[in-house]
Amino acid sequence: MTDIRVLVVEDEPLLAEAHSAYTERVPGFVVVGVAHTARAAMAALRAGGGGGVDLVLLDFRLPDLHGLDVCRALRAAGSSVDVLAVTSARDLAVVRTAVSLGVTHYLLKPFTFAAFRDKLERYADYRAQALADGEVAAQHEVDQMFATLRGTAGHSLPKGLDAQTLDRVRAALTDGTRAEVGLSATEVSALTGISRVTARRYLEYLVTVDRAARTPRYGTPGRPEVEYRPR
């Protein structure tokens, strides 16, 4: 599969540069344009002839038009380009409207690279399934596609675990150099603000669904500590 072509739409130049740099760090994605206004974004999409951009990273608070109006204009023009909202807008009415307009993900500013990468990787997995040839064989295949976007990958969370805390644990586990060295439940607890016992439950769940690996950590007196790395 070819690289996913991304248009970054952000009115603040420094943030636009940062979002572009983040995007280029995720394998399989390439930035093909940057726009600082809604008008420039629409022009860039028209210039691509509908096939030059696969995904728009869209700030909602643009100087000339709200991002939701950009989404409306895209759908009215018959564009099926996917949109990932990258915004500080926390109004639930805005979130509901974004969902109704087909926004695939909603990422609140400020965010870490790990959270950003997670959204792009989920989108890439979803896109690979959506662009496959043929038809779905059964309901579970459709469920799998939607679950990929949600990050659950078809797994129901066990009782007592919630998706928001799971995302925090995954973000801690995959952030920067920590992904290289691994983290113990105690360290994840300190990074996320949850108890060590709770952190261990979430980490063990990630191991169960093959999103993390568990290894012993030697070098300290007594029983070796268990550390976790993302898969």
Side-chain angles (χ1 to χ4, degrees):
M1 177 175 281
T2 58
D3 285 342
I4 296 171
R5 299 158 297 187
V6 178
L7 173 66
V8 175
V9 184
E10 168 62 56
D11 66 321
E12 296 186 31
L14 287 178
L15 285 179
E17 184 178 342
H19 296 170
S20 297
Y22 272 10
T23 302
E24 295 282 0
R25 288 174 60 187
V26 182
F29 289 83
V30 59
V31 175
V32 295
V34 176
H36 301 299
T37 65
R39 182 175 298 176
M42 296 298 292
L45 289 166
R46 285 194 298 268
V53 175
D54 303 309
L55 178 67
V56 180
L57 302 187
L58 181 62
D59 180 22
F60 276 0
R61 292 174 176 168
L62 298 169
D64 55 342
L65 201 64
H66 195 281
L68 289 177
D69 292 322
V70 174
C71 292
R72 290 188 183 97
L74 288 172
R75 301 315 176 212
S79 173
S80 60
V81 67
D82 290 318
V83 176
L84 193 163
V86 183
T87 178
S88 57
R90 288 170 163 76
D91 191 323
L92 284 175
V94 173
V95 176
R96 288 195 300 271
T97 304
V99 172
S100 71
L101 291 170
V103 172
T104 59
H105 275 307
Y106 198 103
L107 183 59
L108 283 174
K109 300 175 182 176
F111 50 84
T112 64
F113 171 66
F116 181 85
R117 179 180 61 193
D118 182 61
K119 297 295 185 189
L120 290 193
E121 289 176 344
R122 292 184 194 183
Y123 171 74
D125 288 344
Y126 157 78
R127 181 176 171 82
Q129 296 174 60
L131 293 182
D133 293 330
E135 300 179 350
V136 293
Q139 179 64 45
H140 76 273
E141 293 187 7
V142 178
D143 293 340
Q144 175 69 26
M145 290 175 61
F146 281 90
T148 299
L149 277 179
R150 293 194 301 270
T152 55
H155 297 281
S156 298
L157 289 177
K159 186 176 180 180
L161 272 60
D162 68 86
Q164 184 176 6
T165 304
L166 181 64
D167 283 345
R168 287 162 58 196
V169 171
R170 284 192 62 201
L173 201 62
T174 59
D175 191 20
T177 58
R178 292 196 291 265
E180 304 278 338
V181 300
L183 291 174
S184 67
T186 301
E187 292 162 340
V188 170
S189 169
L191 289 167
T192 58
I194 61 178
S195 72
R196 183 186 64 81
V197 173
T198 300
R200 186 174 182 278
R201 287 188 63 203
Y202 280 92
L203 290 166
E204 287 296 324
Y205 170 74
L206 289 173
V207 172
T208 301
V209 297
D210 203 31
R211 300 306 295 267
R214 181 201 313 112
T215 56
R217 178 187 290 174
Y218 298 99
T220 56
R223 188 175 179 178
E225 192 171 16
V226 174
E227 66 182 17
Y228 301 84
R229 289 186 177 84
R231 285 192 184 276

